[in-house]
Amino acid sequence: MSLPASETPRCDAGTPGAAGQRMRAIDTLLADRGQLFQALFLSAPIAKALVDLDGHVLVANPMMCALTGRTAENIAGRHVDLLAHPDDPPVGDLGLAPRAGEPVLDPNLLLDGERRLRRSDGTELWVVQSHEVVRHNNGDPQFVVLSLVDVTDRRRAEDDLVRRAFVDPLTGLPNRRALTDRLRHAVALSRRRGLQVGLVHLNIDRFKAVNETLGHEAGDLLLSQIADRLRWSTRVEDTAVRLGADEFLVVAEDVEDLDGLRALADRLLSVLDEPFVVHGREINLSASVGLTLGADMSPDDLLRQAQSALTKAKADGSRARIEVHEGVLSHDDVDALQLETDLRHAIDNEELRLFYQPIVHLGDESLLGYEALIRWQHPTRGLLPPAAFLDAAENNRLTSKLGAWVLRRACNDAATWPEDLRVHVNISARHLAEEGFSDLVADALAESGLEPGRLELEITESTALFAAEATLHSVAVVTDAGVTLALDDFGTGYSAITALHRLPIHTVKIDRSFVADVVTEPATAALVQGLLQLGRGMGLQVIAEGIEDLDQADWLLRHGCAMAQGYAFGRPAPLPSPAAVFIGEMTDAPAEETAGELLPPELETPVVPQPRDEPAPRLTRETDDTGRFVTTGTLFDELADPDED
């Protein structure tokens, strides 16, 4: 930075007068270079300090004082390591060396580039540091000009991008992307230490219902509270991760055995048992848990095993249940995976079937319509009922695809029936809430030519109670078009009255669990009688499900139930097209002559036990003056298939 006398520009002889004046001005400037340097140093727009070769500050300009939060007097005479961040390694341990031709300097002066410092108030500061050696005219080093450019805002923006990529923005926990690196590190560490890695996979029970009832804002607050409890309930070496929605995962390092992992899971469940408070409302939650433990396996295998264990914990609708998955994937897991793969091709391969169960008028058993029930004719496993594959459909988000197929096929079939017969189609909550559901219904009706009033969509009580805005909108559109809505499993859900008020319900179906004991259990009889009165009082159609004998049918008829469905009137069975066996006027002709073959050739038609020791069944049953049945058996019994609804 210094300018030696030998390098001072001089004028050659004979220089014109103007050039001579310019050289005299330069000489004057050089004579006053101390004052000029001082002015430039003090007014510099970036933080600067003059530091001796050993790293002690001689003087700092105002920008340096402002940047570090210290006064010039406080900085002068102090070593520059005063500004170093305490969490960073000592600069002397970095092995920095001066550039060629530079004198020996304090290592803190050699650390050019981006570094982290600390202000006087303890806050973090990021700067780009550079240094320049100032020499005497003879070339000896005199001092160092240390410059600091504040890049804290840029660094924070970059850190924020990284945080968003690897941290869940709602809960502040690491996200699924960060889990991959964390789990890879944990597996590698476990191999070196000879211990195991444990995974605790948690799914909050019924969170969706809570979220839809209280609103998404309350749901977000609840998830944040759950994350906080998981964070402070785990060990320092453990990592709590939010996988998405209402699923969390805890990576536990250095786990000795399964008992230790179970103890961690029990502790997590216990802290979640304590009530949560959101918007002044107390909420009680539980979680289902899947556990897995391993060492010499890939992170992906560990995650699959944890997911498999969680699936088992929630398989039968249980809550707060813990399931353990040890070792490699079991035969059942592999079998379930294969079933899920096969289901993806079932529609394209035309393997799905619709079975129909009749709905009749109790007074004279006249046919009113059918409920459409899906079956899967698997190429190797045979005919599968819904319970065998609907979980696989849910896991693969195929419920909407299956539901669309059922709706179209049922409408096409019903269009061939007499105009007084209706078709009932079950709709899942997920499908009903999807965008475009109302268009799907309209298209199915238009393609088949079926009148909207002949289609009734059946939903569960929980779907009605926790219906989101998208669901309410879809229902409004389809019901305005003339389609009716039935509430299935009436009386078994959360709040029957609330469900009836949330949606334009046309029909309620009393669940089979009540009908089964209506004759033998007075308490159940009183409950069913109340449900019947409630339905009639609200102007609703009432259907009793699961009627298996005439005593049940007789009791329901005497207490005002007009419509029924159950094995006493027919099991679910394939329906020929046209469905002559079930429609129009019935005759005593053999079933094969009336309707043809109802079951596939390889399926044997089972013998259905008759409720009374009567002779061969007639096609319809008469009633006496009191409305009681006087004969038994129907054509439906003769043609029943072995699969239950």
Side-chain angles (χ1 to χ4, degrees):
M1 180 174 287
S2 59
L3 188 61
S6 61
E7 298 180 16
T8 303
R10 297 295 179 186
C11 239
D12 295 335
T15 300
Q21 291 177 1
R22 185 166 60 252
M23 294 311 302
R24 286 194 296 273
I26 292 174
D27 289 340
T28 302
L29 181 63
L30 291 175
D32 296 334
R33 64 185 181 276
Q35 294 182 10
L36 177 62
F37 177 82
Q38 181 180 3
L40 293 175
F41 175 78
L42 295 176
S43 62
I46 62 176
K48 289 181 175 294
L50 303 183
V51 186
D52 66 20
L53 305 184
D54 293 330
H56 292 87
V57 178
L58 301 174
V59 62
N61 73 351
M63 288 299 295
M64 177 67 78
C65 296
L67 183 66
T68 61
R70 300 176 185 276
T71 65
E73 293 77 12
N74 180 260
I75 297 178
R78 305 288 295 274
H79 197 278
V80 291
D81 62 5
L82 172 72
L83 306 177
H85 198 284
D87 293 340
D88 290 340
V91 178
D93 297 343
L94 301 179
L96 299 176
R99 294 189 296 263
E102 267 195 352
V104 177
L105 301 175
D106 184 276
N108 287 277
L109 302 177
L110 300 176
L111 192 59
D112 287 351
E114 195 167 298
R115 65 177 300 192
R116 182 170 58 164
L117 302 178
R118 184 177 63 172
R119 291 189 177 93
S120 60
D121 60 1
T123 57
E124 187 176 86
L125 170 69
W126 285 92
V127 299
V128 173
Q129 175 179 304
S130 62
H131 76 281
E132 185 176 0
V133 179
V134 178
R135 300 174 183 273
H136 293 287
N137 287 343
N138 62 5
D140 293 337
Q142 185 176 5
F143 54 82
V144 174
V145 178
L146 185 67
S147 301
L148 303 178
V149 178
D150 186 4
V151 293
T152 304
D153 291 341
R154 175 178 62 79
R155 183 60 183 245
R156 285 176 177 170
E158 293 174 353
D159 290 345
D160 185 59
L161 290 177
V162 174
R163 185 187 63 82
R164 292 187 181 189
F166 292 96
V167 176
D168 176 57
L170 175 63
T171 63
L173 293 178
N175 61 12
R176 184 183 293 272
R177 186 175 180 181
L179 172 64
T180 302
D181 290 337
R182 183 63 180 171
L183 194 52
R184 188 179 296 112
H185 167 79
V187 170
L189 191 64
S190 69
R191 289 171 180 168
R192 292 197 300 269
R193 295 179 176 177
L195 295 173
Q196 301 184 86
V197 177
L199 297 186
V200 182
H201 195 171
L202 302 99
N203 180 255
I204 307 303
D205 297 325
R206 291 191 59 247
F207 177 79
K208 182 179 179 181
V210 176
N211 194 33
E212 292 181 353
T213 303
L214 302 181
H216 292 287
E217 181 182 355
D220 289 346
L221 292 174
L222 191 57
L223 287 173
S224 297
Q225 293 184 33
I226 293 171
D228 289 340
R229 295 193 186 185
L230 294 179
R231 186 182 290 110
W232 56 255
S233 299
T234 53
R235 304 172 303 172
V236 175
E237 59 268 33
D238 299 338
T239 303
V241 178
R242 185 191 179 200
L243 296 180
D246 55 354
E247 289 192 30
F248 297 85
L249 186 94
V250 175
V251 181
E253 295 184 9
D254 296 347
V255 180
E256 294 185 359
D257 52 33
L258 186 57
D259 290 339
L261 191 62
R262 278 188 176 276
L264 173 60
D266 289 335
R267 183 166 72 251
L268 296 178
L269 289 182
S270 66
V271 299
L272 295 179
D273 283 340
E274 295 296 324
F276 295 84
V277 178
V278 176
H279 294 329
R281 183 170 181 174
E282 190 174 281
I283 301 173
N284 292 288
L285 292 178
S286 62
S288 299
V289 179
L291 302 180
T292 190
L293 195 62
D296 193 16
M297 64 176 59
S298 70
D300 288 342
D301 286 341
L302 275 174
L303 288 174
R304 278 194 292 267
Q305 291 186 178
Q307 177 63 54
S308 174
L310 178 62
T311 301
K312 290 180 180 178
K314 299 179 70 70
D316 59 357
S318 301
R319 302 175 188 172
R321 179 175 168 184
I322 299 177
E323 282 289 339
V324 180
H325 192 303
E326 299 179 81
V328 298
L329 293 176
S330 67
H331 175 75
D332 290 341
D333 295 325
V334 175
D335 186 66
L337 291 174
Q338 184 61 50
L339 187 68
E340 293 174 4
T341 302
D342 294 345
L343 185 57
R344 290 184 176 276
H345 306 290
I347 296 179
D348 297 335
N349 295 340
E350 298 183 352
E351 296 170 2
L352 299 179
R353 305 284 185 267
L354 276 190
F355 279 30
Y356 290 93
Q357 186 171 32
I359 300 172
V360 302
H361 192 286
L362 266 177
D364 57 7
E365 289 192 49
S366 59
L367 186 63
L368 301 175
Y370 301 95
E371 179 181 355
L373 302 167
I374 190 172
R375 299 288 190 269
W376 180 10
Q377 188 66 52
H378 193 278
T380 59
R381 307 184 189 206
L383 190 66
L384 301 180
F389 60 87
L390 287 187
D391 283 344
E394 184 73 20
N395 293 338
N396 287 271
R397 300 185 178 276
L398 294 175
T399 51
S400 298
K401 189 175 181 180
L402 295 182
W405 181 88
V406 170
L407 183 62
R408 286 193 170 95
R409 179 58 60 87
C411 288
N412 285 327
D413 286 349
T416 67
W417 306 342
E419 296 182 356
D420 59 340
L421 296 183
R422 296 162 55 83
V423 63
H424 291 233
V425 178
N426 292 279
I427 301 297
S428 70
R430 172 178 289 180
H431 196 189
L432 188 60
E434 285 187 359
E435 183 178 357
F437 176 79
S438 56
D439 294 333
L440 172 66
V441 175
D443 292 344
L445 292 171
E447 292 170 4
S448 64
L450 185 70
E451 291 295 326
R454 295 179 58 198
L455 173 62
E456 186 150 285
L457 304 179
E458 294 192 10
I459 62 174
T460 63
E461 203 168 297
S462 58
T463 300
L465 181 60
F466 301 116
E469 288 301 320
T471 300
L472 297 175
H473 174 72
S474 294
V475 168
V477 173
V478 298
T479 54
D480 287 346
V483 176
T484 55
L485 205 63
L487 192 62
D488 200 7
D489 303 332
F490 186 54
T492 63
Y494 304 96
S495 174
I497 303 299
T498 304
L500 293 176
H501 281 286
R502 282 181 61 81
L503 294 171
I505 302 298
H506 173 270
T507 304
V508 293
K509 302 183 75 173
I510 299 178
D511 188 68
R512 65 182 65 250
S513 61
F514 299 135
V515 173
D517 299 326
V518 73
V519 177
T520 58
E521 296 291 338
T524 302
L527 175 60
V528 173
Q529 191 170 0
L531 294 176
L532 290 170
Q533 293 174 352
L534 175 64
R536 291 197 304 270
M538 298 185 69
L540 303 174
Q541 301 284 346
V542 181
I543 300 175
E545 294 183 292
I547 299 178
E548 297 186 0
D549 60 53
L550 297 183
D551 292 333
Q552 297 168 351
D554 182 58
W555 188 97
L556 289 164
L557 181 63
R558 287 188 289 107
H559 288 84
C561 182
M563 295 182 288
Q565 180 180 356
Y567 291 171
F569 311 105
R571 293 173 178 258
L575 200 62
S577 180
V581 68
F582 292 130
I583 60 180
E585 294 185 0
M586 296 295 189
T587 69
D588 287 330
E592 292 77 5
E593 298 177 12
T594 308
E597 189 178 41
L598 290 184
L599 296 177
E602 65 273 20
L603 296 179
E604 181 181 356
T605 304
V607 178
V608 180
Q610 301 300 316
R612 297 179 184 174
D613 295 330
E614 299 282 350
R618 296 172 53 190
L619 298 179
T620 61
R621 290 195 293 267
E622 304 293 339
T623 58
D624 59 16
D625 294 338
T626 64
R628 294 178 180 271
F629 292 112
V630 294
T631 60
T632 65
T634 68
L635 180 60
F636 304 131
D637 292 320
E638 291 292 321
L639 304 175
D641 107 295
D643 293 298
E644 297 185 358
D645 179 8

